[in-house]
Amino acid sequence: MLPLDEIRTLLGEHDDPHHRERPRDFDPETAVRRFDLLTGELGRRFGPSTRAGLYQDSSACARFSVPADGTGPVGGLWVELSNFGGFVTAGTGAHWTADSAAGLGGEFVTWLDEVCTAAGCVFVPLDVLLEPYDGPTRTLVDEDRILVETLAALGHDGEDGEDGEDEDGEDGDMRAVWADRYFDYV
């Protein structure tokens, strides 16, 4: 696997606020080749229970899933391919949580990194993608936060009457992470 600082640098280099869904130089043929290679390798490893689907209106290109019943890890497995940089990430159970990253075994991560390298992709650990996003591109989280702030300024509270802040005064779910930039709807 690439050093984490190098991965973080790549995330920053591929960030372009003028191209939220796909990079300017997006090559559909390369995306299809990567999708086919990942689908094939995941299918060989996990068998016919592997499912693959393409995204639309998203910075993610595709999602692969393996249910927990028999072939996948506890809680199931998901792998996503971004339209940007050939970035690939993976987790178990719920989407984009620290627990999702912890559910992956080291042997699987090593295998997936090798598969990614062969497919011309870069495996990005979910832990890195859960770091706060500080790039120039507006994400859906940013748009939601702006809406909440606007409604609050107009005197409208949330349905539960809370202000959306956690005990540290932070916005909690209203703070974008790198996964929001490269693996979410736009």
Side-chain angles (χ1 to χ4, degrees):
M1 182 176 353
L2 292 175
L4 298 183
D5 286 342
E6 191 172 331
I7 291 171
R8 288 180 185 102
T9 298
L10 287 171
L11 291 172
E13 288 175 354
H14 286 275
D15 197 358
D16 179 352
H18 302 293
H19 297 90
R20 291 174 58 186
E21 186 175 350
R22 302 180 200 57
R24 175 184 40 80
D25 59 351
F26 182 77
D27 181 5
E29 291 177 12
T30 298
V32 167
R33 183 181 56 78
R34 289 172 173 160
F35 175 81
D36 289 345
L37 286 168
L38 288 167
T39 301
E41 290 302 318
L42 287 163
R44 277 186 272 292
R45 181 171 178 124
F46 293 107
S49 64
T50 302
R51 300 287 180 251
L54 298 173
Y55 279 106
Q56 185 174 334
D57 301 326
S58 173
S59 56
C61 177
R63 180 177 176 100
F64 310 88
S65 60
V66 181
D69 61 354
T71 58
V74 174
L77 167 74
W78 54 265
V79 176
E80 288 188 348
L81 169 64
S82 177
N83 287 325
F84 290 83
F87 300 139
V88 171
T89 196
T92 60
H95 199 229
W96 299 355
T97 67
D99 290 341
S100 296
L104 297 176
E107 183 272 332
F108 173 77
V109 169
T110 299
W111 174 83
L112 183 58
D113 183 56
E114 291 171 359
V115 169
C116 289
T117 300
C121 298
V122 175
F123 176 70
V124 182
L126 189 55
D127 294 341
V128 172
L129 290 172
L130 292 175
E131 293 173 0
Y133 174 69
D134 59 358
T137 305
R138 188 181 292 190
T139 67
L140 286 180
V141 173
D142 297 318
E143 291 174 5
D144 288 347
R145 186 181 61 252
I146 290 167
L147 175 62
V148 168
E149 290 168 356
T150 301
L151 290 173
L154 295 171
H156 298 281
D157 288 334
E159 289 180 40
D160 60 5
E162 295 187 22
D163 62 6
E165 293 181 354
D166 63 21
E167 59 275 0
D168 297 324
E170 297 292 323
D171 284 337
D173 290 338
M174 300 305 279
R175 185 168 186 190
V177 295
W178 282 95
D180 294 311
R181 172 62 184 101
Y182 290 119
F183 295 92
D184 201 3
Y185 291 98
V186 294

